[in-house]
Amino acid sequence: MLKKDSLIKGTLILAAAALIVRFLGLFQRIPLDYMLGSAGQAAFNSANTIYLLLLTIATGGIPLSISKMISQRYALGRPDEAKRIYQAALMFGAVTGVLLATAMFVFAPAYEKISKVPDSVLSLRAIAPALLLFPIIAMMRGYFQGRQIMSAGGISQIMEQILRLIGGIGLALIVLGWGWGDEYGAAAIAFGSVLGSIGAFGVMMWFWRKLKKQDVTEKARAAAAAPKSPVKSGVALPYRTIYREILATSIPAVVTAMTVQFLYFFDMTLFMRLTNSFYNASAATEVLANYTTKAMGIAGIPPILAIALGASIIPVISSAFSLNNMKEVQRQSSLVMRIVCFTGVPVALLLTVASFSVTGLLFTSPEGSGTVAMLTAGAIFQITMMISNSILYGLNKSKLPMYHTFIGLGLKIVFSLALAPVFGVYGLIIASTICFVVITLLNVRQINKEVSLNILGSKWFAYLAAIAVPALAGWAAEYGVLEWTKAWPDKLSYLLAAAVTSAIVGGFYLLLLAALRVITPEDVRSFPGPLRKGMTLLLKPFYKKAV
């Protein structure tokens, strides 16, 4: 039997799924560095970037709208309207999938000319068929999230990435083994997304059939238990009304959901043009390959929790807001921001501090680790931007983060045009970080007008100390280990340095959170069981009477 998930449980399910998915996605990028040259990597990443942007435009806002609308209908006791909304969304997904897949296939040569990334047409066309199914899959995930059944979307994402990884890399090995070259190898890896879409769709169909049977059974039981009354034939909710409501909420959500993909698309498409005064052609291709393969891959790890929290918090806040339970809205909003501070931010800092060792360990060399460090550090503000967007969306304030996003994207374009010719890839990353910071500040300002966020109160200075001290200690530890193991094989040296840095940063961070009383027994009580036990033991020496 499928059961509803609480915020914490739903977040854990989505976070675990997202963690697996991101790592599998990262491990798809790692072979790129070993199997393909810089031109082949750039070709695949060009196709993958525009594919993800188109997919986000087509689906980024609709699943969020569906999740919100479905949760509201069930909270108000109108399940028939919820099912009608689901049917309308599936139709939308099917139509947009066909249109986007066709457009991507037809206009692939034009995009190659604009981006100046050679040999990318084949990769663009190889990945295009994946757009046929993924809009439908996204609608189904939104429906299940609205029903607070997070496992459906989580498992389908894992299946998608497994088939994408195994299928794409397997096909590439075959193609490269035949001596067809990097152009066909990149296209083979891109085609893995098509295989992933088929697997994800199969998983969602299995969950849909199971939930449908469960709904029929529960409806029959309710009918048998309720006193008999005359049957009333209600008028079905018109599709026109549904689409009007979906578009009213989804257009702002599309804008906010596409922020990160737009930034990557902007950088990927205009990289050669904006940095031609800073790099020569061969250097630009190599830097672009490092940026898109290494930096974007590793920087995608810290926002994992934010993605899970964002998907989980919207239906919870939306349901509480629809019932005018503002105390619950305030509690959940503060809780989710607190979780981000305690978990997402330190992960980003850890990967920033250990970027040299992590890059060298995962890829052929640590070249490009500076790009990895800067992009991962910027992910801290990407996380806060995503969560604050989700909170405003749950508060029926979806237009506000859209306006904030337009401001942030405008600043991204301006600063990229100004900084990229002077600082190269680092100028593009600085511009992206400015975008994240501005959107976050504007979002938090608006949230505080609705409900007073209580994140850390007067403990911000102690929290910053609990972040800065471990970061400095970790940086010194990494440098010392790398110097001490200079004569070792490179991979072994990087492995030890990354492990020691992680242990020091993680250990010091947890210790300082407890010692400086940044985290309290009340915070720990909201954590899941296994994590709660460990944190309780850690807090005992500092809160002897409270734990």
Side-chain angles (χ1 to χ4, degrees):
M1 181 178 178
L2 300 176
K3 297 181 179 179
K4 291 184 179 181
D5 301 312
S6 65
L7 171 62
I8 295 296
K9 184 178 178 183
T11 298
L12 285 176
I13 291 172
L14 291 180
L19 182 63
I20 295 171
V21 166
R22 287 302 176 103
F23 271 109
L24 289 173
L26 177 60
F27 282 107
Q28 185 191 40
R29 291 175 183 266
I30 292 172
L32 291 179
D33 198 34
Y34 290 88
M35 298 169 63
L36 304 176
S38 297
Q41 293 179 47
F44 167 79
N45 288 318
S46 175
N48 197 49
T49 299
I50 191 171
Y51 158 74
L52 291 174
L53 178 66
L54 289 176
L55 186 62
T56 302
I57 291 173
T59 66
I62 304 294
L64 293 175
S65 296
I66 294 171
S67 172
K68 178 183 174 184
M69 292 166 67
I70 295 297
S71 65
Q72 286 179 337
R73 261 56 176 199
Y74 272 94
L76 298 173
R78 300 203 293 247
D80 290 338
E81 286 189 13
K83 292 175 182 177
R84 183 79 169 168
I85 291 168
Y86 180 45
Q87 293 171 358
L90 290 178
M91 290 178 59
F92 179 87
V95 172
T96 54
V98 172
L99 292 176
L100 286 177
T102 303
M104 188 170 184
F105 191 90
V106 171
F107 293 107
Y111 180 74
E112 182 185 75
K113 290 181 180 179
I114 295 172
S115 65
K116 291 188 175 182
V117 177
D119 301 328
S120 59
V121 171
L122 200 59
S123 294
L124 287 162
R125 287 179 167 171
I127 205 172
L131 289 169
L132 292 171
L133 283 179
F134 269 126
I136 298 175
I137 295 168
M139 305 306 147
M140 299 175 79
R141 287 172 179 168
Y143 174 73
F144 278 95
Q145 286 173 8
R147 297 287 301 270
Q148 296 183 31
I149 302 172
M150 306 301 179
S151 55
I155 294 173
S156 70
Q157 289 179 55
I158 293 171
M159 177 61 71
E160 169 199 334
Q161 287 295 332
I162 289 174
L163 293 180
R164 184 183 184 191
L165 175 63
I166 296 175
I169 299 301
L171 288 173
L173 288 173
I174 294 172
V175 167
L176 293 173
W178 288 342
W180 286 14
D182 279 8
E183 181 181 1
Y184 285 90
I189 297 175
F191 188 75
S193 294
V194 180
L195 302 177
S197 71
I198 296 171
F201 183 70
V203 171
M204 295 306 299
M205 286 299 296
W206 183 87
F207 272 95
W208 177 76
R209 290 192 187 100
K210 190 170 182 179
L211 183 59
K212 185 179 180 181
K213 290 180 181 178
Q214 182 174 309
D215 286 344
V216 170
T217 302
E218 291 179 355
K219 187 175 181 180
R221 288 176 181 171
K228 294 184 179 180
S229 59
V231 178
K232 297 179 181 180
S233 57
V235 178
L237 191 63
Y239 281 154
R240 182 172 56 185
T241 303
I242 295 172
Y243 286 128
R244 188 183 299 120
E245 184 176 352
I246 288 176
L247 291 176
T249 55
S250 67
I251 290 177
V254 167
V255 175
T256 56
M258 64 175 277
T259 305
V260 176
Q261 289 305 326
F262 175 81
L263 298 184
Y264 287 166
F265 169 77
F266 179 89
D267 291 348
M268 182 85 220
T269 304
L270 299 180
F271 186 89
M272 295 294 190
R273 297 178 183 273
L274 292 178
T275 63
N276 60 4
S277 62
F278 193 83
Y279 305 113
N280 59 42
S282 61
T285 302
E286 187 174 348
V287 171
L288 178 60
N290 287 331
Y291 179 39
T292 54
T293 299
K294 299 177 181 179
M296 290 183 184
I298 295 176
I301 296 175
I304 288 172
L305 184 66
I307 295 170
L309 283 171
S312 298
I313 196 66
I314 289 175
V316 174
I317 291 180
S318 180
S319 294
F321 188 74
S322 65
L323 298 173
N324 201 30
N325 187 354
M326 298 307 293
K327 185 176 181 180
E328 180 65 8
V329 170
Q330 190 270 345
R331 189 183 75 84
Q332 295 286 0
S333 300
S334 299
L335 173 62
V336 76
M337 292 297 289
R338 200 174 300 123
I339 291 173
V340 166
C341 289
F342 289 152
T343 56
V345 173
V347 172
L349 282 175
L350 170 61
L351 290 173
T352 300
V353 171
S355 60
F356 186 88
S357 300
V358 171
T359 305
L361 176 64
L362 295 178
F363 299 96
T364 55
S365 73
E367 186 178 356
S369 60
T371 306
V372 172
M374 183 170 282
L375 191 63
T376 308
I380 294 172
F381 302 102
Q382 178 187 338
I383 293 169
T384 55
M385 175 197 73
M386 294 168 73
I387 293 299
S388 57
N389 281 342
S390 296
I391 293 174
L392 283 174
Y393 194 80
L395 290 171
N396 277 340
K397 303 291 181 182
S398 55
K399 289 185 179 180
L400 290 175
M402 178 182 70
Y403 298 146
H404 301 163
T405 298
F406 282 137
I407 294 172
L409 293 179
L411 291 173
K412 159 66 179 177
I413 293 172
V414 170
F415 278 99
S416 292
L417 294 175
L419 299 178
V422 181
F423 300 107
V425 67
Y426 295 105
L428 295 173
I429 296 174
I430 292 171
S432 296
T433 303
I434 291 172
C435 172
F436 296 146
V437 170
V438 169
I439 295 174
T440 295
L441 293 175
L442 292 173
N443 283 349
V444 171
R445 178 187 176 191
Q446 290 298 328
I447 293 171
N448 279 320
K449 290 182 179 180
E450 299 296 324
V451 291
S452 180
L453 287 175
N454 181 19
I455 305 173
L456 293 175
S458 60
K459 300 174 183 177
W460 280 105
F461 182 78
Y463 171 72
L464 293 176
I467 290 291
V469 173
L472 291 173
W475 177 80
E478 184 194 41
Y479 179 80
V481 172
L482 290 174
E483 284 293 314
W484 179 55
T485 58
K486 269 185 177 180
W488 292 21
D490 288 344
K491 294 297 182 185
L492 189 58
S493 176
Y494 298 142
L495 175 61
L496 182 61
V500 171
T501 304
S502 299
I504 289 178
V505 172
F508 266 98
Y509 172 70
L510 291 174
L511 184 62
L512 287 175
L513 280 183
L516 298 176
R517 300 198 171 196
V518 177
I519 191 168
T520 66
E522 290 75 19
D523 295 323
V524 172
R525 291 188 191 107
S526 66
F527 290 177
L531 186 58
R532 184 166 59 245
K533 292 178 182 178
M535 291 303 298
T536 299
L537 291 174
L538 182 65
L539 289 180
K540 269 191 175 182
F542 307 101
Y543 290 90
K544 292 182 180 180
K545 295 182 180 180
V547 297

